Amino acid sequence: MTTSLSAELWPNVQPDAARRLMLAAVESFADRGYHATTTRDIAAAAGMSPAALYVHFPSKAALLFAISHSGHEQTLKLVESVATGGGGAKERMRGIVEDFVAWHARRHTVARVVQYELQALPEKEYAEVADLRRRIEHLVRDVIADGVEKGVFTVTDLRTAARAVLSLGVDVARWYSSRTGKTPKALGREYGDLVLRMLGATV
Amino acid sequence: MTTSLSAELWPNVQPDAARRLMLAAVESFADRGYHATTTRDIAAAAGMSPAALYVHFPSKAALLFAISHSGHEQTLKLVESVATGGGGAKERMRGIVEDFVAWHARRHTVARVVQYELQALPEKEYAEVADLRRRIEHLVRDVIADGVEKGVFTVTDLRTAARAVLSLGVDVARWYSSRTGKTPKALGREYGDLVLRMLGATV
């Protein structure tokens, strides 16, 4: 069960032991926060020895980086594939919001670590993740700019509008739970409508 | 400096030593998270002995509760005063968003503790704070419902709409910093427009 979840979360990470450690780290960070978690806690949660952990990750920060980097890469990929795909600005914006919101709802525990533990990353690793964040924001901004140019969106400040779009999606990770009574997909669709209206489009 | 900031943050808390401890706690929780902070850290940051801390707060959880409860009470009060004040649904919604967003921008460090450390509260204290959160959400929902009834707003799901409005404001605390280049007030005004459009109002 745990093994298949970790494989689903990080299909590109090998071997399985590394993925199990990442999942144990996510759960420990979510429970107690990054700073109060030790590598010993994470190893124990993954059913491994601390020495076995170090085979895959040299430090707790390396684990946080692996989780954070992968989460940002995944969301960049989904935003990129819709943003640079076909369709008008409205269709692409709807697609971005649907996928971005659904990802933050479905992966809310991972997403909380991805979004809220950034400042615990070492400087170099932080810079790498910040670059992925900038690319995500630019893609969203470009779609809004295209919509404004084509006369389908009206916004006073591109930067604020792009930030608000992403902000709505990110914050889903904070409040969404399995008791929300709405599937990630259904929530994504509702947010698609809300965002299009926010950008001045007719829905 | 620190004394006047803590007095500004918690004008109703007395004596000044209690406020200084709350400010030291906010800063320590923001740096390392709640779980990795000890009462000894907090006392030291406030320039007091651990014994002096216990005169004002019986535990670290009591400090978190004081910060969280006060933050929720403050935001409830500002939402309540606009929501139940005069004006149409549009004017009241704009006022709520302006104040709620500006509060989360201006107080972003306190707001992060208020919004992101909830699950660390003991059960009884959590229930008290959850009740304040429900009241805030209901006030926002009632203003939206009033707007829908009067034909100025169009939403498909009141609950999702109210949550999205508050979510935009809460997430400001995550990304806002003194380097944002926009005052809390200016950001609040921009978000006021975005939210009104999101709710289907003409701006």
Side-chain angles (χ1 to χ4, degrees):
Chain A
M1 180 64 189
T2 297
T3 302
S4 67
L5 174 58
S6 65
E8 197 193 318
L9 289 170
W10 301 292
N12 301 326
V13 175
Q14 290 290 351
D16 182 53
R19 292 196 295 239
R20 267 165 52 214
L21 284 162
M22 285 167 74
L23 187 60
V26 162
E27 284 163 357
S28 307
F29 297 161
D31 268 6
R32 282 184 296 265
Y34 175 77
H35 296 283
T37 300
T38 63
T39 47
R40 184 171 288 274
D41 296 331
I42 297 167
M48 295 185 202
S49 69
L53 181 149
Y54 291 115
V55 171
H56 304 284
F57 297 98
S59 65
K60 184 173 69 159
L63 261 161
L64 177 63
F65 178 63
I67 295 161
S68 186
H69 191 266
S70 161
H72 282 90
E73 242 178 2
Q74 287 179 35
T75 47
L76 170 60
K77 201 179 279 181
L78 61 87
V79 169
E80 201 165 36
S81 92
V82 184
T84 63
K90 230 169 98 172
E91 288 68 37
R92 285 181 291 144
M93 182 52 67
R94 185 189 289 281
I96 289 172
V97 172
E98 285 184 358
D99 290 356
F100 194 77
V101 165
W103 190 90
H104 283 83
R106 190 173 296 122
R107 304 270 179 262
H108 56 272
T109 311
V110 175
R112 277 175 212 161
V113 174
V114 169
Q115 298 290 356
Y116 299 129
E117 302 284 5
L118 280 182
Q119 66 300 348
L121 287 170
E123 201 174 341
K124 195 181 133 282
E125 284 79 1
Y126 178 84
E128 246 186 271
V129 169
D131 180 57
L132 297 175
R133 294 176 78 81
R134 260 191 301 275
R135 286 168 61 191
I136 294 171
E137 209 165 315
H138 283 153
L139 284 164
V140 171
R141 218 183 291 169
D142 287 349
V143 175
I144 300 176
D146 183 40
V148 169
E149 206 189 306
K150 302 277 161 58
V152 293
F153 295 156
T154 324
V155 300
T156 42
D157 185 312
L158 273 180
R159 203 191 187 83
T160 302
R163 188 157 263 170
V165 169
L166 291 170
S167 193
L168 268 177
V170 166
D171 199 56
V172 165
R174 179 184 57 84
W175 63 261
Y176 191 88
S177 82
S178 50
R179 289 171 294 120
T180 297
K182 199 160 272 186
T183 64
K185 207 169 164 171
L187 188 71
R189 272 198 301 266
E190 280 193 64
Y191 268 55
D193 278 346
L194 292 171
V195 163
L196 285 183
R197 295 211 298 207
M198 188 168 86
L199 299 176
T202 49
V203 184
Chain B
M1 179 64 187
T2 297
T3 302
S4 67
L5 173 59
S6 65
E8 198 193 318
L9 290 170
W10 301 291
N12 300 327
V13 175
Q14 290 292 349
D16 182 53
R19 293 196 294 240
R20 267 165 52 216
L21 285 162
M22 285 168 74
L23 187 59
V26 162
E27 285 163 356
S28 307
F29 298 161
D31 269 6
R32 280 183 298 263
Y34 176 77
H35 295 283
T37 301
T38 64
T39 49
R40 185 171 287 273
D41 296 330
I42 298 167
M48 294 186 205
S49 69
L53 181 149
Y54 291 115
V55 170
H56 303 285
F57 297 98
S59 64
K60 184 173 71 157
L63 261 161
L64 177 63
F65 178 62
I67 295 161
S68 186
H69 191 265
S70 162
H72 282 91
E73 241 178 4
Q74 286 179 36
T75 47
L76 171 61
K77 201 179 276 181
L78 61 87
V79 169
E80 199 164 36
S81 93
V82 183
T84 63
K90 229 168 100 172
E91 289 68 38
R92 284 181 292 143
M93 183 52 66
R94 185 189 288 282
I96 288 171
V97 172
E98 285 183 358
D99 290 356
F100 193 77
V101 165
W103 190 90
H104 282 83
R106 191 174 294 122
R107 303 268 178 267
H108 56 272
T109 311
V110 174
R112 278 175 211 161
V113 174
V114 169
Q115 298 291 355
Y116 300 129
E117 301 284 4
L118 280 181
Q119 67 299 351
L121 287 169
E123 201 174 343
K124 195 181 135 280
E125 284 78 2
Y126 178 84
E128 245 184 89
V129 169
D131 180 57
L132 297 175
R133 293 177 79 82
R134 261 190 300 276
R135 286 167 61 191
I136 294 170
E137 209 164 316
H138 282 155
L139 285 164
V140 171
R141 218 182 294 169
D142 287 349
V143 175
I144 299 176
D146 183 39
V148 169
E149 205 188 311
K150 301 277 161 57
V152 293
F153 296 155
T154 324
V155 299
T156 42
D157 184 314
L158 273 180
R159 202 189 188 87
T160 302
R163 187 156 265 171
V165 169
L166 291 170
S167 192
L168 268 176
V170 166
D171 198 58
V172 165
R174 178 184 58 83
W175 62 261
Y176 192 87
S177 83
S178 50
R179 292 171 294 120
T180 298
K182 200 159 272 186
T183 65
K185 208 172 162 166
L187 187 71
R189 271 199 301 267
E190 280 192 65
Y191 268 56
D193 279 346
L194 292 172
V195 163
L196 286 182
R197 294 211 298 206
M198 188 167 85
L199 299 176
T202 49
V203 184

